[in-house]
Amino acid sequence: AIFCPSGNFGGMELDTVKLAQKLNPYCNIVLVTKKGGFIEQNFDKYFSKDDSVVLESLGFRSLSFLNTIIQTKKLLKKYDIKNIIYFGTSKLKVVYFALLGTNINLIARHGTTRREKKGFFNKLVYSRIDYHIAICKHLLNNIKKIFPFGIQTKTTLIYTSMKFRNLTKRNSGKLTILHTGRIARGKGQVDAIRACEILVENSIDFELFLVGGYEDGYEEEFTKFYNNVEYKDKIKLIGFTNEIDIYLQRADIFLFPSYGEGLSNSFLEALSAELKCIAYDNTSFPELKELGFDFVLVENKDINKLKEELLKVVRDEVFFDLKKNKKIIETLFSQENEIKKYLEILK
């Protein structure tokens, strides 16, 4: 079974769906998610009747805590579940109580940095985990630092595989800068816009495309900032789209000054599409450098340095080995590698 207790739309939910699709040919998949959430509402868009993926939805609400435990226990028995891959750690206590008296293999898959889990009850719950899967070394170190471990608990690193992109570039005739991902505080959209001020000051024509929907509660704050930008006519707010390749084809530069990422799918997609990429020096981005990717790292949260480096890239003062980036994606982030590593830890 693959559990994703979130009802939102974002990277974790998409990664849940993608993993179910990848493992489907090798396992009988029961996809368990929040009732009324994104995955339940969009299940038919990702899976056909020919797929052996079964959808089950649960309340995952505080007021229905006991009922959710009972329903989870019924699901585990109904489908004779041997393994649970659990995305994140939210609501994990539901699964903990449902697993009492079983030897089901509990695997927690982590895609974001976590805070320390203190207290006796947390120690009890997290010590039940058999495997922690991290999608990058930064998260692997984070897991080892903050989570209580049981005698049987192991950790492993599994890079999320990427879709290989052979895109035909479409030159728009104007410098095109791209940022993709959910519009949220600290995700880089504000700093990307601010950095482009240096292009205006140097009379360089450009367009900055922001592709992604808003995080709940952030639209008003971001819109207020956006409306005060003097060059907002150059900033294109696209919203959510499944046609991301269209924008990757048009773009020259991928500007991604996020304040922190587990391992950004958006950034890897841009590297795979052979874009000139710029990011802040934090969380998992130094690890990508260590893996051999060629992109620009800027001192964390230093907007002036970000402007300087952006201008250098625009003026072709920085050389990028873009073919090398694509080759690394095809080698280290292949679907075959990811599936093989998951199958090694499943019962």
Side-chain angles (χ1 to χ4, degrees), residues 63-121:
L63 294 177
S64 59
F65 179 68
L66 184 58
N67 182 58
T68 304
I69 294 172
I70 294 171
Q71 294 304 315
T72 301
K73 288 183 73 71
K74 288 181 179 178
L75 288 180
L76 300 180
K77 185 175 181 180
K78 177 181 178 181
Y79 296 104
D80 191 23
I81 299 299
K82 299 291 192 297
N83 304 276
I84 292 176
I85 301 174
Y86 197 95
F87 274 69
T89 57
S90 174
K91 316 294 184 185
L92 188 60
K93 57 183 178 290
V94 169
V95 172
Y96 169 78
F97 284 111
L99 289 181
L100 290 176
T102 76
N103 64 347
I104 291 173
N105 188 24
L106 178 57
I107 303 162
R109 188 268 193 190
H110 303 270
T112 58
T113 306
R114 303 290 175 183
R115 295 180 180 178
E116 187 174 358
K117 306 299 181 181
K118 296 180 179 180
F120 175 77
F121 185 63

Coordinates of all heavy atoms in Angstrom, one line a residue, residues 63-121:
L63 N -11.1 14.5 14.5 CA -12.3 14.1 15.1 C -12.7 12.7 14.8 O -13.5 12.1 15.5 CB -13.5 15.1 14.7 CG -13.3 16.5 15.1 CD1 -14.5 17.4 14.6 CD2 -13.3 16.6 16.7
S64 N -12.2 12.2 13.6 CA -12.5 10.8 13.3 C -11.3 9.9 13.4 O -11.1 8.9 12.7 CB -13.0 10.8 11.8 OG -12.0 11.3 10.9
F65 N -10.4 10.2 14.4 CA -9.1 9.5 14.6 C -9.3 8.0 14.8 O -8.7 7.2 14.1 CB -8.4 10.1 15.8 CG -7.1 9.5 16.1 CD1 -6.0 9.6 15.2 CD2 -6.9 8.7 17.3 CE1 -4.8 9.0 15.5 CE2 -5.7 8.1 17.6 CZ -4.6 8.2 16.7
L66 N -10.2 7.7 15.7 CA -10.5 6.3 16.1 C -11.1 5.5 14.9 O -10.7 4.4 14.5 CB -11.4 6.2 17.3 CG -11.7 4.7 17.8 CD1 -10.4 4.0 18.2 CD2 -12.6 4.8 19.0
N67 N -12.0 6.2 14.2 CA -12.6 5.6 13.0 C -11.6 5.3 11.9 O -11.7 4.3 11.2 CB -13.8 6.4 12.5 CG -14.5 5.8 11.3 OD1 -15.0 4.7 11.4 ND2 -14.5 6.5 10.2
T68 N -10.7 6.3 11.7 CA -9.7 6.1 10.7 C -8.8 5.0 11.0 O -8.4 4.2 10.1 CB -8.8 7.4 10.5 OG1 -9.7 8.5 10.3 CG2 -7.9 7.3 9.4
I69 N -8.4 4.8 12.3 CA -7.6 3.6 12.7 C -8.3 2.3 12.3 O -7.8 1.4 11.7 CB -7.3 3.7 14.2 CG1 -6.4 4.8 14.5 CG2 -6.6 2.3 14.6 CD1 -6.2 5.1 16.0
I70 N -9.6 2.3 12.7 CA -10.4 1.1 12.4 C -10.5 0.8 10.9 O -10.3 -0.4 10.4 CB -11.9 1.2 13.0 CG1 -11.8 1.3 14.5 CG2 -12.8 0.1 12.5 CD1 -13.1 1.7 15.2
Q71 N -10.8 1.8 10.1 CA -10.8 1.7 8.7 C -9.5 1.2 8.1 O -9.5 0.4 7.1 CB -11.3 3.0 8.0 CG -12.7 3.4 8.4 CD -13.7 2.3 8.0 OE1 -13.7 1.7 7.0 NE2 -14.6 2.0 9.0
T72 N -8.4 1.8 8.6 CA -7.1 1.4 8.1 C -6.8 -0.1 8.4 O -6.3 -0.8 7.5 CB -6.0 2.3 8.8 OG1 -6.2 3.6 8.5 CG2 -4.6 1.9 8.3
K73 N -7.2 -0.6 9.6 CA -7.0 -2.0 10.0 C -7.8 -2.9 9.0 O -7.3 -3.9 8.6 CB -7.4 -2.2 11.4 CG -6.5 -1.7 12.5 CD -6.9 -2.0 13.9 CE -6.7 -3.5 14.2 NZ -5.2 -3.7 14.3
K74 N -9.0 -2.4 8.7 CA -9.8 -3.2 7.7 C -9.1 -3.3 6.4 O -9.1 -4.4 5.7 CB -11.2 -2.6 7.6 CG -12.1 -2.8 8.9 CD -13.4 -2.2 8.6 CE -14.3 -2.4 9.9 NZ -15.7 -1.7 9.7
L75 N -8.6 -2.2 5.9 CA -7.9 -2.2 4.6 C -6.7 -3.1 4.6 O -6.5 -3.8 3.6 CB -7.4 -0.7 4.3 CG -8.5 0.3 3.9 CD1 -7.8 1.6 3.6 CD2 -9.3 -0.2 2.7
L76 N -5.9 -3.1 5.7 CA -4.7 -3.9 5.7 C -5.1 -5.4 5.7 O -4.4 -6.2 5.0 CB -4.0 -3.6 7.0 CG -3.5 -2.2 7.2 CD1 -2.7 -2.0 8.6 CD2 -2.6 -1.7 6.1
K77 N -6.2 -5.7 6.3 CA -6.6 -7.1 6.3 C -7.3 -7.5 5.0 O -7.0 -8.6 4.4 CB -7.6 -7.3 7.4 CG -8.1 -8.8 7.6 CD -9.0 -9.0 8.8 CE -9.4 -10.4 9.0 NZ -10.3 -10.6 10.2
K78 N -8.1 -6.6 4.4 CA -8.8 -6.9 3.2 C -7.9 -7.2 2.0 O -8.1 -8.1 1.2 CB -9.7 -5.6 2.8 CG -10.4 -5.7 1.5 CD -11.2 -4.5 1.3 CE -12.0 -4.5 -0.1 NZ -12.7 -3.3 -0.3
Y79 N -6.8 -6.4 1.9 CA -5.9 -6.5 0.8 C -4.6 -7.3 1.2 O -3.7 -7.4 0.4 CB -5.5 -5.2 0.3 CG -6.6 -4.4 -0.3 CD1 -7.2 -3.3 0.4 CD2 -7.1 -4.7 -1.5 CE1 -8.3 -2.6 -0.1 CE2 -8.2 -4.0 -2.1 CZ -8.8 -3.0 -1.4 OH -9.8 -2.2 -1.9
D80 N -4.6 -7.8 2.4 CA -3.4 -8.6 2.9 C -2.1 -7.9 2.6 O -1.2 -8.4 2.0 CB -3.4 -10.0 2.1 CG -2.3 -10.9 2.8 OD1 -2.0 -10.8 4.0 OD2 -1.8 -11.8 2.1
I81 N -2.1 -6.7 3.2 CA -0.9 -5.7 2.9 C 0.3 -6.3 3.6 O 0.3 -6.6 4.8 CB -1.3 -4.3 3.4 CG1 -2.5 -3.8 2.7 CG2 -0.1 -3.4 3.3 CD1 -2.3 -3.6 1.2
K82 N 1.4 -6.3 2.8 CA 2.7 -6.7 3.4 C 3.7 -5.5 3.6 O 4.6 -5.6 4.4 CB 3.4 -7.7 2.4 CG 2.6 -9.0 2.2 CD 2.6 -9.8 3.4 CE 2.1 -11.2 3.1 NZ 0.7 -11.2 2.7
N83 N 3.4 -4.4 2.8 CA 4.3 -3.2 2.9 C 3.4 -2.0 2.9 O 2.4 -1.9 2.2 CB 5.3 -3.2 1.7 CG 6.1 -4.4 1.6 OD1 7.2 -4.6 2.2 ND2 5.7 -5.3 0.7
I84 N 3.9 -1.0 3.6 CA 3.3 0.4 3.5 C 4.4 1.3 3.2 O 5.4 1.5 3.9 CB 2.6 0.8 4.8 CG1 1.3 -0.1 5.0 CG2 2.2 2.3 4.8 CD1 0.6 0.2 6.4
I85 N 4.3 2.1 2.1 CA 5.1 3.2 1.8 C 4.4 4.4 2.1 O 3.3 4.8 1.5 CB 5.6 3.2 0.3 CG1 6.3 1.9 -0.1 CG2 6.5 4.4 0.0 CD1 6.6 1.8 -1.5
Y86 N 4.8 5.2 3.2 CA 4.1 6.3 3.7 C 4.8 7.6 3.3 O 6.0 7.8 3.7 CB 4.0 6.1 5.2 CG 2.9 7.0 5.9 CD1 1.7 6.5 6.1 CD2 3.2 8.3 6.2 CE1 0.7 7.3 6.7 CE2 2.2 9.1 6.8 CZ 1.0 8.6 7.1 OH 0.0 9.4 7.6
F87 N 4.1 8.5 2.6 CA 4.7 9.7 2.2 C 4.6 10.8 3.3 O 3.5 11.1 3.8 CB 4.0 10.2 0.9 CG 4.6 9.7 -0.3 CD1 4.5 8.3 -0.6 CD2 5.3 10.5 -1.2 CE1 5.0 7.8 -1.8 CE2 5.9 10.0 -2.3 CZ 5.8 8.6 -2.6
G88 N 5.7 11.3 3.8 CA 5.8 12.2 4.9 C 5.6 11.6 6.2 O 5.9 10.4 6.3
T89 N 5.2 12.3 7.2 CA 5.0 11.8 8.6 C 3.7 12.2 9.2 O 3.3 11.8 10.2 CB 6.2 12.2 9.5 OG1 6.3 13.6 9.5 CG2 7.5 11.6 9.0
S90 N 3.0 13.1 8.5 CA 1.7 13.6 9.0 C 0.7 12.4 9.2 O 0.6 11.6 8.3 CB 1.1 14.6 8.0 OG -0.2 15.0 8.4
K91 N 0.0 12.4 10.3 CA -1.0 11.3 10.6 C -0.4 9.9 10.7 O -1.1 8.9 10.7 CB -2.1 11.3 9.6 CG -2.6 12.7 9.1 CD -3.3 13.4 10.2 CE -3.9 14.7 9.7 NZ -4.5 15.5 10.8
L92 N 0.9 9.8 10.9 CA 1.5 8.5 11.0 C 1.1 7.7 12.2 O 1.1 6.5 12.2 CB 3.1 8.6 11.0 CG 3.9 7.3 10.9 CD1 3.6 6.6 9.6 CD2 5.4 7.6 11.0
K93 N 0.6 8.4 13.2 CA 0.1 7.7 14.4 C -1.1 6.8 14.1 O -1.3 5.8 14.7 CB -0.2 8.7 15.5 CG -1.2 9.8 15.2 CD -1.4 10.7 16.3 CE -2.4 11.8 16.0 NZ -1.8 12.8 15.1
V94 N -1.9 7.2 13.1 CA -3.0 6.4 12.6 C -2.5 5.0 12.2 O -3.0 4.0 12.6 CB -3.8 7.1 11.5 CG1 -4.8 6.1 10.9 CG2 -4.5 8.3 12.0
V95 N -1.5 5.0 11.4 CA -0.9 3.8 10.9 C -0.3 3.0 12.0 O -0.3 1.8 12.1 CB 0.1 4.0 9.7 CG1 0.8 2.8 9.3 CG2 -0.6 4.6 8.5
Y96 N 0.4 3.7 12.9 CA 1.1 3.0 14.0 C 0.1 2.2 14.8 O 0.3 1.0 15.1 CB 1.7 4.1 15.0 CG 2.1 3.5 16.3 CD1 3.3 2.8 16.4 CD2 1.3 3.6 17.5 CE1 3.7 2.2 17.6 CE2 1.8 3.1 18.7 CZ 2.9 2.4 18.7 OH 3.3 1.8 19.9
F97 N -1.1 2.7 15.2 CA -2.1 2.0 15.9 C -2.7 0.9 15.1 O -3.0 -0.2 15.6 CB -3.2 2.9 16.5 CG -2.7 3.7 17.6 CD1 -2.6 5.1 17.5 CD2 -2.5 3.1 18.9 CE1 -2.1 5.9 18.6 CE2 -2.0 3.9 19.9 CZ -1.9 5.3 19.8
A98 N -2.9 1.1 13.8 CA -3.4 0.1 12.9 C -2.5 -1.1 12.7 O -2.9 -2.2 12.5 CB -3.8 0.7 11.6
L99 N -1.2 -0.8 12.9 CA -0.2 -1.9 12.7 C 0.1 -2.7 13.9 O 0.8 -3.7 13.8 CB 1.1 -1.2 12.2 CG 1.2 -0.7 10.8 CD1 2.6 -0.1 10.5 CD2 0.8 -1.7 9.8
L100 N -0.4 -2.3 15.1 CA -0.2 -3.1 16.3 C -0.6 -4.6 16.1 O -1.6 -4.9 15.6 CB -1.0 -2.5 17.5 CG -0.5 -1.1 18.0 CD1 -1.4 -0.6 19.0 CD2 0.9 -1.2 18.5
G101 N 0.4 -5.4 16.5 CA 0.1 -6.9 16.3 C 0.4 -7.4 15.0 O 0.2 -8.6 14.7
T102 N 1.0 -6.6 14.1 CA 1.4 -7.1 12.7 C 2.9 -6.9 12.5 O 3.6 -6.3 13.3 CB 0.7 -6.3 11.6 OG1 1.3 -5.0 11.5 CG2 -0.8 -6.0 11.9
N103 N 3.4 -7.6 11.5 CA 4.8 -7.4 11.1 C 4.9 -6.7 9.7 O 5.8 -7.0 9.0 CB 5.5 -8.8 11.1 CG 5.0 -9.7 10.1 OD1 3.9 -9.5 9.5 ND2 5.7 -10.8 9.8
I104 N 3.9 -5.9 9.4 CA 3.9 -5.2 8.1 C 5.1 -4.3 8.0 O 5.5 -3.6 9.0 CB 2.6 -4.4 7.9 CG1 1.4 -5.4 7.7 CG2 2.7 -3.5 6.7 CD1 0.1 -4.7 7.7
N105 N 5.8 -4.3 6.9 CA 7.0 -3.5 6.6 C 6.6 -2.0 6.4 O 6.0 -1.7 5.4 CB 7.6 -4.1 5.4 CG 9.0 -3.5 5.1 OD1 9.7 -3.0 6.0 ND2 9.4 -3.5 3.8
L106 N 6.9 -1.2 7.4 CA 6.6 0.2 7.3 C 7.7 1.1 6.8 O 8.8 1.1 7.4 CB 6.1 0.7 8.7 CG 5.7 2.2 8.8 CD1 4.6 2.6 7.9 CD2 5.4 2.6 10.3
I107 N 7.5 1.7 5.7 CA 8.5 2.5 5.0 C 8.1 4.0 5.0 O 7.0 4.3 4.4 CB 8.8 2.0 3.6 CG1 9.2 0.5 3.6 CG2 9.8 2.8 2.9 CD1 9.0 -0.2 2.3
A108 N 8.8 4.9 5.5 CA 8.5 6.3 5.5 C 9.4 7.0 4.4 O 10.6 6.9 4.5 CB 8.8 7.0 6.8
R109 N 8.7 7.6 3.5 CA 9.4 8.3 2.4 C 9.4 9.8 2.6 O 8.4 10.4 2.8 CB 8.8 7.9 1.1 CG 9.5 8.4 -0.2 CD 9.0 9.7 -0.6 NE 9.4 10.1 -2.0 CZ 9.3 11.3 -2.5 NH1 8.7 12.3 -1.8 NH2 9.7 11.6 -3.7
H110 N 10.6 10.4 2.7 CA 10.7 11.8 3.1 C 11.2 12.7 1.9 O 12.2 12.3 1.2 CB 11.8 12.0 4.2 CG 11.5 11.2 5.4 ND1 10.7 11.6 6.4 CD2 11.8 9.9 5.7 CE1 10.6 10.7 7.4 NE2 11.3 9.6 7.0
G111 N 10.4 13.8 1.7 CA 10.8 14.7 0.6 C 11.1 16.1 1.0 O 11.4 16.9 0.2
T112 N 10.9 16.3 2.3 CA 11.2 17.7 2.9 C 11.9 17.6 4.2 O 11.8 16.5 4.9 CB 9.9 18.5 3.1 OG1 9.0 17.8 4.0 CG2 9.2 18.7 1.8
T113 N 12.6 18.6 4.6 CA 13.3 18.7 5.9 C 12.3 18.6 7.0 O 11.3 19.3 7.0 CB 14.1 20.0 6.0 OG1 15.0 20.1 4.8 CG2 15.0 20.0 7.2
R114 N 12.6 17.9 8.0 CA 11.7 17.7 9.2 C 12.3 18.3 10.5 O 13.6 18.4 10.6 CB 11.4 16.2 9.5 CG 10.8 15.5 8.3 CD 9.4 15.9 8.0 NE 8.9 15.3 6.8 CZ 7.7 15.5 6.3 NH1 6.9 16.4 6.9 NH2 7.3 14.9 5.1
R115 N 11.5 18.7 11.4 CA 11.9 19.1 12.7 C 12.0 17.9 13.7 O 11.4 16.9 13.5 CB 10.9 20.2 13.3 CG 10.9 21.4 12.4 CD 9.9 22.4 13.1 NE 9.8 23.7 12.3 CZ 9.0 24.7 12.6 NH1 8.1 24.6 13.7 NH2 8.9 25.7 11.9
E116 N 12.8 18.2 14.7 CA 13.1 17.1 15.7 C 11.8 16.6 16.3 O 10.9 17.4 16.7 CB 14.0 17.6 16.8 CG 14.5 16.4 17.7 CD 15.5 16.9 18.7 OE1 15.9 18.1 18.6 OE2 16.0 16.1 19.5
K117 N 11.7 15.3 16.4 CA 10.5 14.6 17.0 C 10.8 14.2 18.4 O 11.4 13.2 18.7 CB 10.1 13.4 16.2 CG 9.9 13.7 14.7 CD 8.8 14.6 14.4 CE 8.6 14.9 12.9 NZ 7.5 15.8 12.6
K118 N 10.3 15.0 19.4 CA 10.5 14.8 20.8 C 9.3 14.2 21.5 O 8.2 14.1 20.9 CB 10.9 16.1 21.5 CG 12.2 16.8 21.0 CD 12.4 18.1 21.7 CE 13.7 18.8 21.2 NZ 14.0 20.0 21.9
G119 N 9.6 13.6 22.7 CA 8.5 13.1 23.5 C 8.4 11.6 23.4 O 8.8 11.0 22.3
F120 N 7.9 11.0 24.4 CA 7.8 9.5 24.5 C 6.9 9.0 23.4 O 7.2 8.0 22.8 CB 7.2 9.1 25.9 CG 7.0 7.6 26.0 CD1 8.0 6.7 26.2 CD2 5.7 7.1 25.9 CE1 7.8 5.4 26.2 CE2 5.4 5.8 26.0 CZ 6.5 4.9 26.2
F121 N 5.7 9.6 23.1 CA 4.8 9.1 22.2 C 5.4 9.1 20.8 O 5.3 8.1 20.0 CB 3.5 9.9 22.2 CG 2.4 9.3 21.3 CD1 1.9 8.0 21.5 CD2 2.0 10.1 20.2 CE1 1.0 7.5 20.6 CE2 1.0 9.5 19.3 CZ 0.5 8.3 19.5

